[in-house]
Amino acid sequence: MSTPLEKFEQQYAAEVMKVDADEDLLKRLERGIRGLKGVAQSTDTQNDAAWRLEVTESLKALRNQPSKAMVPQDFSRVGSTQANRVLASLEIVETVGNVIDPIVVNEPAPASGDFDFSAYVNENAGTLDLLKHHQIELIKFGVQFGRGAFTMYDLHDHQNPFPIIHGGQEYHGGLDGGVAPHGLSVASAANQLRVAYEHKQSSAQKQRYRENHGDMAQRTAGPLTFSGSGKGQSVIATLGAYAYNAWPLLLDLTDGEVHHLIMIRDDELIYWDNLTPQQAYAKQSEVLLSCATLVNRKLKMTSIPDDLQRPLKKLRALQAVKERM
């Protein structure tokens, strides 16, 4: 059986193993244990009690510190490597939609236009106009908006609708907007999304904005790709949305010119990258028109087909319920 001093040393060793433990508190704890060792063979009960108090208070302070590993990470700070690891640990396989189920737009299909995101200083400034653009393009494909149909919701100011925890890490964030049944509040629409949007300006668009506003410095510029933080953010946002939504939504990561679509079916995350606007809106309209009940603003997960429920049920386990209350 361990002595009280040995137990203190074991607790100290456990705190040292935490890479984010406060160094000053660790030193204070170490000093207290040394003091206890110094009086262990003596009869100096006053010093013994003082050192025990020092050790006890140091341990208490260390344990009350928030772990850096549990500091919430914003969706936008997640890179593709981290997102890939989360998917692997959830046993969700990435599948290339362009290979297994390519999006072919048959004639005569309506033409779809680009959106000039380079006219805006940042994504937030242009989000409302880009959402209006999405709606116009979807109407061309027969999607109806208004009473008894859908509404395009602006969600970019709706803070943290999808908090999730996985592998000891908490993730916070939301989406820029989406299509949900008409008549809902923003908070309820976030849980009834059928199609969702994550807007991200490409480096080329940012460069064009700078050039058009007098900054002629040349920086690396290119199109929006399904990689890096763009992929990481959209994958984690998709997982978060599935953890709370009533329908397995389709997410569109776009800069208004290039579109990358994501959805989860069974244990597969299917992505279509580098789509044209016409391909993207054709697929989105296909989803929105696939089932008459999608305009039901009180749709429940349990009322949709079992195969569509499966990814939602699996990802419900990620909910950070306490943080959301």
Side-chain angles (χ1 to χ4, degrees):
M1 182 178 293
S2 300
T3 66
L5 178 56
E6 288 171 338
K7 287 181 179 178
F8 278 136
E9 289 183 304
Q10 290 166 4
Q11 291 169 321
Y12 167 73
E15 295 300 326
V16 169
M17 290 300 294
K18 296 179 181 178
V19 297
D20 53 354
D22 186 287
E23 290 187 8
D24 290 336
L25 285 173
L26 283 175
K27 289 177 181 177
R28 178 183 166 190
L29 178 58
E30 185 180 8
R31 184 172 63 250
I33 290 176
R34 283 202 307 268
L36 278 176
K37 286 181 177 179
V39 299
Q41 311 251 325
S42 73
T43 58
D44 187 352
T45 56
Q46 185 175 356
N47 272 340
D48 182 73
W51 284 120
R52 284 180 185 278
L53 179 63
E54 176 81 2
V55 170
T56 302
E57 292 298 317
S58 299
L59 278 170
K60 182 179 179 181
L62 279 165
R63 288 168 179 164
N64 285 340
Q65 279 194 308
S67 170
K68 289 181 183 176
M70 281 300 291
V71 172
Q73 184 175 2
D74 192 88
F75 291 171
S76 64
R77 306 292 295 176
V78 177
S80 59
T81 300
Q82 186 177 359
N84 290 341
R85 288 171 180 163
V86 171
L87 290 175
S89 65
L90 289 169
E91 297 184 337
I92 294 176
V93 178
E94 276 189 286
T95 306
V96 183
N98 291 337
V99 174
I100 66 164
D101 186 19
I103 299 172
V104 179
V105 182
N106 296 317
E107 299 296 338
S112 297
D114 290 339
F115 178 83
D116 185 10
F117 221 174
S118 68
Y120 301 86
V121 63
N122 56 38
E123 285 119 358
N124 284 344
T127 278
L128 185 56
D129 286 343
L130 183 46
L131 291 173
K132 292 176 181 177
H133 175 81
H134 297 322
Q135 180 169 326
I136 291 169
E137 296 301 324
L138 289 171
I139 289 172
K140 294 179 183 178
F141 283 88
V143 179
Q144 295 184 351
F145 290 84
R147 185 179 294 275
F150 296 108
T151 290
M152 182 69 69
Y153 291 89
D154 179 5
L155 303 175
H156 84 280
D157 283 332
H158 184 40
Q159 298 297 312
N160 193 31
F162 312 128
I164 56 175
I165 296 177
H166 179 70
Q169 177 62 58
E170 188 164 349
Y171 301 92
H172 282 187
L175 295 161
D176 286 314
V179 180
H182 181 72
L184 295 170
S185 69
V186 168
S188 291
N191 293 334
Q192 288 286 349
L193 293 170
R194 313 303 188 233
V195 172
Y197 299 99
E198 184 59 48
H199 299 157
K200 200 169 187 69
Q201 285 176 314
S202 68
S203 57
Q205 290 170 335
K206 292 177 180 179
Q207 178 66 18
R208 288 204 301 272
Y209 177 86
R210 288 190 292 262
E211 291 173 353
N212 291 336
H213 291 79
D215 182 355
M216 303 308 293
Q218 293 297 311
R219 298 174 177 86
T220 302
L224 178 67
T225 60
F226 189 63
S227 61
S229 62
K231 176 185 177 180
Q233 179 177 0
S234 56
V235 167
I236 292 295
T238 300
L239 296 176
Y242 273 58
Y244 291 94
N245 259 258
W247 177 266
L249 59 81
L250 177 71
L251 183 139
D252 182 5
L253 168 67
T254 183
D255 61 1
E257 299 174 15
V258 178
H259 297 255
H260 311 291
L261 302 183
I262 303 173
M263 69 179 184
I264 302 174
R265 293 295 182 268
D266 292 319
D267 289 323
E268 291 186 331
L269 182 142
I270 309 167
Y271 71 89
W272 294 264
D273 60 339
N274 300 313
L275 299 179
T276 65
Q278 188 186 49
Q279 288 176 303
Y281 294 120
K283 183 65 175 180
Q284 291 169 37
S285 63
E286 176 187 295
V287 169
L288 292 169
L289 299 174
S290 64
C291 180
T293 60
L294 289 186
V295 297
N296 179 2
R297 59 179 176 267
K298 295 185 289 185
L299 184 71
K300 297 185 183 303
M301 178 184 68
T302 52
S303 67
I304 67 177
D306 288 343
D307 61 324
L308 297 180
Q309 288 187 40
R310 281 196 285 271
L312 300 177
K313 286 180 176 178
K314 177 173 184 171
L315 296 174
R316 286 295 193 265
L318 302 181
Q319 288 186 0
V321 178
K322 290 181 180 179
E323 284 295 321
R324 201 165 187 247
M325 293 174 61

